[in-house]
Amino acid sequence: MAVNHLREREQIRRFTVTILVVCFLICLYGIYQIPSGVRVSAPFEGPEGEPNTLGGYLVMMLSLIIGLLVTQGSFRNKLPLLALLPLILVTLAATQSRGSWLALPFMLLTLILLSRRKLLIVVPLCLLVAVSPIILPKTVIDRALYTFNQPAEEGQLKVGNVKIDTSTSARLESWRLILTQDFVRRPLLGYGITGYSFVDAQIPMILTNTGIIGLIAFFVLIGMLFRTAFRVYRSSRDPLYTGIALGHLGALVGLLIHGIGANTFIIVRIMEPFWFLTALVVMSPEIEAREASRGEGAAGRRAGAEDDGS
């Protein structure tokens, strides 16, 4: 739908601003929940909420903002982007989503490896890591350590002498059960969509639903996304398109890691903005080429008029 309506650069700029404004409002809503002591989640998610979903969305948005910030000329005024950064980080911390926290370093590493201005990411990141023991709330630290220091309960797995909390153990056990038992019974096409019980992890879910054929198709799709965004990032002369493409690349890697413990690529609240962002990346080369040819045509007409006048 987005691809069929994108025709000019101004649309991409306006839509990008709209995406950022929505993120700002969601962060305000999340921060509003913090005093209540609950794990924050996005609006309209019911009484229990889905903090892990919000966390995945925020990792994606953080990648987009960093991509725009480190790309010179992507926006005239980058102060709103800088102001949005701490709001996202605070909200992301308050989700207490360990899967989202795990995705964060992989997303940042992708941006560092691909960015032409690496120090703009590395230096602030080092400063943030240095002060994190001071500024991180105790709830965040406790949540991270809970993975390994949960009181003894039934269902905990052990790795050597280290106990893994029941939530992480359940995910690991589902991976083991699927890969060693259920998947091998129907390896090619799986059990069909919804033909297997709920699995809260992307790759095992694909294997049980659509088998190895579905998994190959999924990775082909991911490879095409990465190749397209990388081509736009390398070849585009417009800094807006370059910044969006860089943010998309980091977001894609982050969401793949997020999918270790969540059905990330079928979660509507993550995938709607992700595929919208993908549409902006996919259409930017065509729009850039169209506007370049339009500019060359206008220049040619001016030159012809000057020749006629002379």
Side-chain angles (χ1 to χ4, degrees):
M1 291 172 63
V3 163
N4 289 333
H5 286 83
L6 289 170
R7 295 289 180 270
E8 56 186 26
R9 181 187 189 277
E10 180 58 22
Q11 285 180 297
I12 292 182
R13 189 195 68 81
R14 287 200 307 265
F15 283 135
T16 303
V17 171
T18 303
I19 290 171
L20 296 173
V21 170
V22 171
C23 180
F24 170 71
L25 295 175
I26 289 175
C27 286
L28 290 184
Y29 180 82
I31 292 171
Y32 167 76
Q33 298 174 73
I34 292 177
S36 66
V38 301
R39 294 177 60 190
V40 305
S41 60
F44 316 117
E45 289 188 345
E48 294 184 3
E50 298 177 14
N52 197 34
T53 296
L54 177 58
Y57 164 78
L58 292 175
V59 169
M60 176 181 63
M61 292 306 303
L62 185 61
S63 181
L64 173 61
I65 291 170
I66 294 174
L68 293 171
L69 279 172
V70 300
T71 304
Q72 188 174 6
S74 59
F75 274 91
R76 291 181 183 177
N77 185 3
K78 294 190 177 182
L79 286 178
L81 296 176
L82 285 170
L84 190 51
L85 271 180
L87 296 181
I88 291 180
L89 291 173
V90 169
T91 311
L92 181 59
T95 63
Q96 299 185 32
S97 168
R98 292 170 294 179
S100 304
W101 297 346
L102 178 64
L104 195 57
F106 290 91
M107 178 271 286
L108 291 170
L109 181 60
T110 302
L111 295 178
I112 292 170
L113 291 175
L114 297 178
S115 175
R116 302 181 182 103
R117 307 171 78 191
K118 303 180 190 303
L119 288 179
L120 290 181
I121 304 175
V122 172
V123 173
L125 181 60
C126 290
L127 292 174
L128 186 61
V129 171
V131 301
S132 60
I134 302 173
I135 63 175
L136 280 179
K138 186 175 182 299
T139 54
V140 173
I141 298 173
D142 290 344
R143 177 66 176 171
L145 295 177
Y146 182 78
T147 307
F148 308 106
N149 63 9
Q150 180 191 28
E153 287 190 21
E154 186 179 352
Q156 289 177 332
L157 295 179
K158 273 192 173 184
V159 180
N161 294 324
V162 179
K163 291 182 302 182
I164 307 297
D165 74 282
T166 50
S167 176
T168 306
S169 295
R171 285 179 168 85
L172 293 174
E173 180 63 18
S174 69
W175 276 74
R176 186 197 65 80
L177 182 65
I178 289 168
L179 294 177
T180 61
Q181 297 183 32
D182 296 342
F183 163 66
V184 295
R185 292 183 185 137
R186 298 190 182 182
L188 289 181
L189 295 175
Y191 295 80
I193 304 298
T194 72
Y196 190 84
S197 58
F198 176 76
V199 182
D200 202 11
Q202 188 66 42
I203 301 303
M205 185 207 70
I206 294 173
L207 286 173
T208 54
N209 285 351
T210 56
I212 194 68
I213 293 177
L215 186 64
I216 292 171
F218 174 75
F219 280 118
V220 168
L221 175 63
I222 295 300
M224 292 172 65
L225 289 178
F226 195 91
R227 184 179 62 183
T228 300
F230 187 76
R231 184 171 63 245
V232 172
Y233 174 64
R234 288 298 187 187
S235 63
S236 178
R237 297 181 179 180
D238 191 312
L240 176 61
Y241 302 153
T242 302
I244 294 174
L246 177 60
H248 185 278
L249 288 166
L252 181 57
V253 173
L255 293 180
L256 285 171
I257 300 300
H258 186 268
I260 292 174
N263 295 318
T264 306
F265 287 83
I266 65 166
I267 297 175
V268 175
R269 293 176 182 86
I270 299 176
M271 284 297 103
E272 280 187 342
F274 174 77
W275 285 109
F276 196 94
L277 184 63
T278 301
L280 302 186
V281 173
V282 167
M283 287 302 295
S284 58
E286 181 178 329
I287 293 173
E288 187 173 18
R290 186 185 305 150
E291 293 185 348
S293 63
R294 195 180 302 159
E296 290 173 359
R301 287 192 295 272
R302 285 196 301 270
E306 290 174 359
D307 292 340
D308 294 339
S310 62

